[in-house]
Amino acid sequence: MTDPQPIIDLIYAFRRSKTMFAAVSMGVFERLSQSPADASAFPGTDAGAMERLLDACVSLGLLERRSGVYSNSPLASEYLCRNSERTMAGYIEYSNTALYPMWQHLEDAVREGSNRWQPTFGFPASQLFDHFFSTEAAKRDFLLGMHGFGQLSSSSVVRAFDLSPFRRFVDLGGGTGHLALAAVEEYPQMQAAVFDLPGAIDFARQFTHQHVDLIAGDFFKDALPPADLYALGRILHDWSELKIRRLLARVHEALAPGGAVLICESLLDDDKQGPIDGQMQSLNMLVCTEGRERSLPEYRQLLEDAGFSGVEGRRTGTPLDVVLGIKP
């Protein structure tokens, strides 16, 4: 008899995720960041049921309990409290309110080969970013989520290749500017800018400083700011191949010879059999966008078709890997 534990772990996996999602959504970690408390300190909840949720968070390593009083673990303090510089609470809220409902329709996404925005929420994926920016709270959660995930990778991304020959770095769709900030910290001689939609740029001002320019625009429509190195971080996996080719053509046209593009995505293995996180992310793209994750040979083909050469990839050991292509 083979060990059934891997199957049991997969059966239980969503329960663990939803426990954390619920605790973040209900403000558990925010409340406990103020002071340790027992289960009665959460108004509007059943104390016995809340105690179960809190104890489950203890078992997950998110809380600590002493004599019936709960406090945040160091892990929760760093990543689950909104006042932390490394918070991932925004991405967790996005996962809870958007991704979790859409993943319930994965079978239909596979049958039809399309995302689940319309069946789940009643609007098409073309209105995706309108939805994310529909209210200040929605915009904050989405951009904070991208910021929290970005910080896990940005310093490794800018060190994956020697970028010191480049002088002007522009992150297209750069959100809060975490990648641009990492670039200027690693390469002090570099100038950096973020080019993103106006709502994102307004929000980014609280995260950046005078060494990073903030420029509002749409990289599919507007002229790209001058640069000798463009970055596309978690961008290409959102879009259809037609739109990717159009965007890469715009980047290639904007660069002078010797300029480059830095693509930051989760790379699939060449044989498409892993890694697990990349495969899960590719299914996530099926459920919520018109894109997918790709292997290095696939990115190489896209870049070479756009006129780039010398395409290389690097794994970083973080959620994002890196591909670099040079304009001859």
Side-chain angles (χ1 to χ4, degrees), residues 20-227:
M20 181 179 68
F21 293 173
V24 169
S25 177
M26 298 178 76
V28 165
F29 305 106
E30 301 302 317
R31 168 60 184 85
L32 296 179
S33 70
Q34 300 169 14
S35 64
D38 61 23
S40 67
F42 297 88
T45 67
D46 178 88
M50 175 55 73
E51 186 171 1
R52 292 194 212 178
L53 179 65
L54 298 177
D55 284 341
C57 288
V58 172
S59 71
L60 292 173
L62 306 179
L63 295 179
E64 298 172 352
R65 176 178 176 171
R66 293 182 178 85
S67 303
V69 175
Y70 300 87
S71 59
N72 289 333
S73 70
L75 190 67
S77 294
E78 187 168 5
Y79 295 111
L80 301 182
C81 294
R82 293 180 183 277
N83 59 359
S84 168
E85 292 182 358
R86 296 185 178 276
T87 185
M88 299 179 71
Y91 195 83
I92 291 168
E93 289 281 18
Y94 164 61
S95 298
N96 190 34
T97 59
L99 298 185
Y100 192 81
M102 287 191 291
W103 269 79
Q104 295 181 64
H105 304 285
L106 176 60
E107 297 92 336
D108 290 335
V110 172
R111 292 185 186 106
E112 300 175 19
S114 60
N115 65 68
R116 298 294 93 191
W117 284 100
Q118 185 75 50
T120 307
F121 297 111
F123 61 84
S126 60
Q127 298 175 16
L128 179 64
F129 289 98
D130 292 338
H131 169 73
F132 289 149
F133 293 176
S134 60
T135 66
E136 284 301 311
K139 179 175 73 173
R140 176 179 174 81
D141 277 346
F142 177 72
L143 291 174
L144 275 179
M146 296 302 102
H147 181 76
F149 246 96
Q151 288 191 108
L152 300 178
S153 303
S154 291
S155 61
S156 296
V157 163
V158 298
R159 292 197 301 267
F161 293 95
D162 178 13
L163 304 180
S164 60
F166 301 103
R167 289 294 176 267
R168 176 69 173 174
F169 173 96
V170 173
D171 190 3
L172 302 175
T176 57
H178 50 83
L179 187 59
L181 286 168
V184 296
E185 288 169 7
E186 184 69 22
Y187 306 100
Q189 81 287 354
M190 187 180 282
Q191 295 180 318
V194 174
F195 186 67
D196 209 330
L197 297 172
I201 291 298
D202 289 343
F203 188 77
R205 299 187 193 284
Q206 63 187 288
F207 294 96
T208 55
H209 49 59
Q210 67 271 19
H211 298 298
V212 175
D213 297 329
L214 299 175
I215 306 169
D218 184 330
F219 51 59
F220 280 122
K221 300 176 182 177
D222 300 321
L224 303 183

Side-chain angles (χ1 to χ4, degrees), residues 166 228 251-253 255-261 303-311 325-328:
F166 301 103
D228 60 354
V251 170
H252 186 271
E253 182 180 9
L255 286 168
V261 61
L303 287 166
E304 289 177 350
D305 289 350
F308 292 93
S309 65
V311 178
I326 308 294
K327 179 174 180 176

Side-chain angles (χ1 to χ4, degrees), residues 239-310:
W239 304 106
S240 67
E241 187 162 312
L242 179 63
K243 290 180 180 177
I244 289 172
R245 290 182 180 277
R246 192 171 78 197
L247 180 55
L248 289 176
R250 300 193 86 222
V251 170
H252 186 271
E253 182 180 9
L255 286 168
V261 61
L262 193 73
I263 295 171
C264 315
E265 300 284 6
S266 176
L267 284 178
L268 299 180
D269 294 341
D270 291 0
D271 63 7
K272 300 294 191 66
Q273 295 185 35
I276 292 174
D277 288 347
Q279 294 292 356
M280 294 300 101
Q281 182 70 337
S282 198
L283 280 179
N284 192 55
M285 293 299 99
L286 169 64
V287 166
C288 70
T289 73
E290 57 189 66
R292 63 185 178 90
E293 304 302 331
R294 292 174 168 81
S295 65
L296 177 58
E298 289 175 309
Y299 279 118
R300 179 177 288 115
Q301 188 64 59
L302 285 169
L303 287 166
E304 289 177 350
D305 289 350
F308 292 93
S309 65

